[in-house]
Amino acid sequence: RQRPGLGTVSNVLVLGLVFDLVAPHLPDSPALVVAIPMMLGGIVLNAFATVMYIGARFGPGPRDGMMTGLVNRTGWSVRLVRTGLEVAVVAVGFALGGTLGAGTVLYALGVGPLIQLFARLLKVGDAVSGHSEPADQRPTVNA
């Protein structure tokens, strides 16, 4: 029950456009001394960007919406839910004949904990946990 918004549409459209613009400027086969920092930096920056746009409350992208919805419904940690989603996606991709490399494994195991860390540091845990409004703006329920 995550409402789509500007962030949802932007996530789908902007990612493809930015990749098309940036990819031609990246090296095809960089040396490991360049490739490893690029890979690790990409994982960290992706987690940070995920928290930034979800924290802005413009609506999560498709996979991020699944993450925020499951966190909201189950009460499980962002780290656990996102890691489970990524591992499932990797398993399906591998079963369908995709490749499995170190970057794939590091992303699948690392992005969830990093999202949770950045959400805590940036104080947007409510948004990343699937709440549509900040805690101080939610209606209170008297029991």
Side-chain angles (χ1 to χ4, degrees), residues 29 38-39 66-67 85 94 100 103 106 116 123 128 140:
S29 298
M38 283 175 63
M39 175 186 63
M66 182 174 279
M67 173 191 73
L85 287 171
F94 186 69
L100 183 64
L106 282 173
Q116 184 166 317
K123 300 183 185 334
V128 175
T140 56

Side-chain angles (χ1 to χ4, degrees), residues 9-98:
V9 176
S10 297
N11 180 280
V12 174
L13 297 176
V14 172
L15 285 177
L17 293 173
V18 169
F19 181 80
D20 287 345
L21 291 172
V22 172
H25 305 288
L26 297 175
D28 285 335
S29 298
L32 281 179
V33 70
V34 174
I36 291 173
M38 283 175 63
M39 175 186 63
L40 295 175
I43 295 168
V44 171
L45 285 173
N46 183 260
F48 183 75
T50 297
V51 169
M52 292 290 287
Y53 96 88
I54 293 173
R57 297 183 188 277
F58 286 132
R63 193 161 43 189
D64 298 325
M66 182 174 279
M67 173 191 73
T68 58
L70 285 170
V71 168
N72 192 356
R73 282 249 170 161
T74 65
W76 297 344
S77 70
V78 169
R79 178 186 73 242
L80 178 65
V81 169
R82 184 56 178 251
T83 301
L85 287 171
E86 295 298 337
V87 167
V89 168
V90 167
V92 169
F94 186 69
L96 292 172

